[in-house]
Amino acid sequence: MLEAWLRPRRVVHAHCDLPCGVYDPAQARIEAESVKATQARYQNAEKFKTAGETVEDYRTRALAIKEQRADLVKEHLWVLWTDYFKPEHLEKYPQLHDLFWRATKEAGAAKKSQDPDQGQKLLDEIDEIGKIFWETKA
Amino acid sequence: MLEAWLRPRRVVHAHCDLPCGVYDPAQARIEAESVKATQARYQNAEKFKTAGETVEDYRTRALAIKEQRADLVKEHLWVLWTDYFKPEHLEKYPQLHDLFWRATKEAGAAKKSQDPDQGQKLLDEIDEIGKIFWETKA
Amino acid sequence: MLEAWLRPRRVVHAHCDLPCGVYDPAQARIEAESVKATQARYQNAEKFKTAGETVEDYRTRALAIKEQRADLVKEHLWVLWTDYFKPEHLEKYPQLHDLFWRATKEAGAAKKSQDPDQGQKLLDEIDEIGKIFWETKA
Amino acid sequence: MLEAWLRPRRVVHAHCDLPCGVYDPAQARIEAESVKATQARYQNAEKFKTAGETVEDYRTRALAIKEQRADLVKEHLWVLWTDYFKPEHLEKYPQLHDLFWRATKEAGAAKKSQDPDQGQKLLDEIDEIGKIFWETKA
Amino acid sequence: MLEAWLRPRRVVHAHCDLPCGVYDPAQARIEAESVKATQARYQNAEKFKTAGETVEDYRTRALAIKEQRADLVKEHLWVLWTDYFKPEHLEKYPQLHDLFWRATKEAGAAKKSQDPDQGQKLLDEIDEIGKIFWETKA
Amino acid sequence: MLEAWLRPRRVVHAHCDLPCGVYDPAQARIEAESVKATQARYQNAEKFKTAGETVEDYRTRALAIKEQRADLVKEHLWVLWTDYFKPEHLEKYPQLHDLFWRATKEAGAAKKSQDPDQGQKLLDEIDEIGKIFWETKA
């Protein structure tokens, strides 16, 4: 992993409307990992909570944090969809619209689910998007 | 790059105070890449601007966007510093405090500089932090 | 207009992921009206600016405000697309994905254009979405 | 409703300090509808919750969402009060200050109440403001 | 000043809707000081700017920052007005509504003015509010 | 207290990257007072809650609010650390880095603790920072 970090970095990828040309599906993925980790910790609240809080407190906080992280997943995916992808990409990957629609809906579903398997499904959909993203960059 | 994306992902790294245990210096790095790209585009406003805006308009927008991206760099670095790193890390890497102080000050300086070399310096400092981060994960 | 306001209000329209069931394309439209009004004022900065600011100051502020309003347009449209519309709607309106893609791209373009005609185009696309939205509510 | 949407739109009303001249009490109203809908769903959590969450989870989320929506109501009302209304309006409607004070206090009270009747009271106060607003526009 | 800091702190004053009971007009004042300082620096851009930016760049950033600080002034004042002050205060200080209306309007005017005297006027109005606030606390 | 407010104000202290030169540890302190007050009210939820909410509702809201206030404490402290303090201050106060690290970690801990004594510890650490800050201003 360290090696991967040190390797000359990819010449990367837009995420504002200047546009600056820096985009990276890693942004959505990191937040989705946080969503899944939070679901897993919710399930083991007893183990993860600290001394100063009850299991109920811990779960309340987990829900509030997951709500925000899932919003960030949506945000990052929407930006990729609208700002990075161009008509020529859509031609080559006609599934793009549906893929983003399902992935952002899955991020919304993550707010209502405390099951890490749901979070994994979200990660899988982001990875499908990531695969296409990196192919267009190749 | 595509291959790197597809490879079984690192089992990653906390960034909220649940804490969920998901941290990744890539978050700060992506924003810093955006800062540097914006500085470069500011320098070539004539070339990058679109038909509906003047060079002055384009630069105004570049400055406003850079201001926000630099803030995000600071934010992500501060979170890593306070939330991820523990006393045992500091013992092994006594330069940690200074490294983060300099990197966040450099992110502040990025708001005042339109020079991509300054942005590169910021990226280099983030990479120093990233190197340590991944060593602690090894 | 007053009458319209007083008339028994539509029992409307979800915009959070509870979900609360309250959605309304008016949210995107109001921000888009602000975008267009800002473009028009940018064109007549001399007339609209107040005594304490230069034409350049006024335009700088107009650009910064337009940037934010255009972001809000995107935000509200994305929420409608992902959260309100369901597969059965898509079946009846197969143009939905493309319509939202174009409208959010137009909102992004609004940041780079100082031409009120561009803002009008954005409003027209939002109205196309609004028309479908209200048909699904009928 | 559809017809209302299609009708030539009102030439509307400022909500930034450019100012762009676009104001509309609908912004506060939509958020207040969300507040009331959330209160109603809190009361019927058993029915509205999805399979992946407990009644307690659902209510926790409802409270967090209501907190934010009520804040947005306040925000939109404050902007109307300070930015749209002018001394000549106050002269004609001397109750304006008190009306806004009560309405924003009611929005604060909405955070502490799970009763949809309270949400309706908030909506009624916003409608009083809306009535005056549209009279000044007539 | 140091002494003032060290002195046993005032048993303070609400600013959320829990409510937690912590309110302090210092929050609005600090942001207003920033507004005035920014106006003064705008006037002396040549002197204050750093080597990596032009006078125009510096002023653009000053305007963007002032816009945000002025918004924070409004926000903090609105919270004080709606959340802290109660009917019994209004009875004793019937000028309260008008005072807050003028002060928040002045904060809006600060976005359009580059004159530190305007910023001082804003500070004076906040101080009038602060005086009343501390009398109600006495 | 009133007198302290009326006294000719300190010629104050930067908190943006213009920079405008206005900094004040009071910003972090006020939020930390809110954190502690919220912890105390959580402990006496029965007494502080209003009629329209259950003890559980009140505690859920207290946790969500405390989460945000603790974030603001961190934010204000990070800004002071990176933006206000200079190498010459560090030379004179070599404990600065550690002090800020501990204080921001304490703010993170405040999210997980419902004990007002923990909140007091956070206040004490902020006061240590405030003491140094005012000495550098003397």
Side-chain angles (χ1 to χ4, degrees), chain F:
Chain F
M1 265 178 311
L2 174 55
E3 205 186 300
W5 179 262
L6 295 174
R7 228 179 319 147
R9 286 290 286 195
R10 46 194 196 273
V11 199
V12 238
H13 351 266
H15 67 307
C16 55
D17 275 316
L18 185 56
C20 68
V22 181
Y23 295 103
D24 197 326
Q27 293 190 304
R29 206 188 195 282
I30 292 169
E31 302 300 345
E33 284 165 0
S34 178
V35 164
K36 186 188 168 188
T38 302
Q39 289 167 326
R41 284 169 189 241
Y42 175 100
Q43 300 296 344
N44 286 287
E46 196 70 62
K47 178 187 151 196
F48 283 109
K49 82 174 197 59
T50 49
E53 54 191 346
T54 66
V55 163
E56 285 70 32
D57 293 347
Y58 185 83
R59 288 196 167 143
T60 292
R61 292 181 56 236
L63 290 170
I65 287 166
K66 182 157 60 76
E67 204 85 3
Q68 294 165 355
R69 295 301 155 183
D71 268 337
L72 287 172
V73 173
K74 287 170 108 166
E75 193 67 31
H76 287 305
L77 290 178
W78 283 330
V79 167
L80 267 190
W81 180 58
T82 292
D83 298 355
Y84 172 71
F85 285 104
K86 303 279 172 290
E88 58 266 29
H89 299 135
L90 189 67
E91 217 164 292
K92 194 162 166 200
Y93 302 97
Q95 76 272 39
L96 261 183
H97 288 343
D98 240 50
L99 192 50
F100 274 98
W101 204 41
R102 274 186 295 117
T104 49
K105 276 183 180 297
E106 197 72 51
K111 299 182 183 174
K112 298 166 209 151
S113 169
Q114 272 62 267
D115 180 358
D117 286 351
Q118 191 276 338
Q120 185 54 51
K121 231 173 105 181
L122 172 60
L123 282 165
D124 292 345
E125 279 169 355
I126 293 174
D127 285 349
E128 247 185 281
I129 289 171
K131 188 172 169 308
I132 292 178
F133 175 85
W134 290 111
E135 286 177 5
T136 65
K137 285 281 179 189

Side-chain angles (χ1 to χ4, degrees), chain B residues 26 33 40 44 61 65 83 94 100-102 104 109-110 112 117 135:
Chain B
E33 285 165 358
N44 286 286
R61 293 180 55 234
I65 288 167
D83 297 355
F100 273 98
W101 205 42
R102 274 186 295 117
T104 49
K112 297 166 211 152
D117 286 351
E135 285 177 4

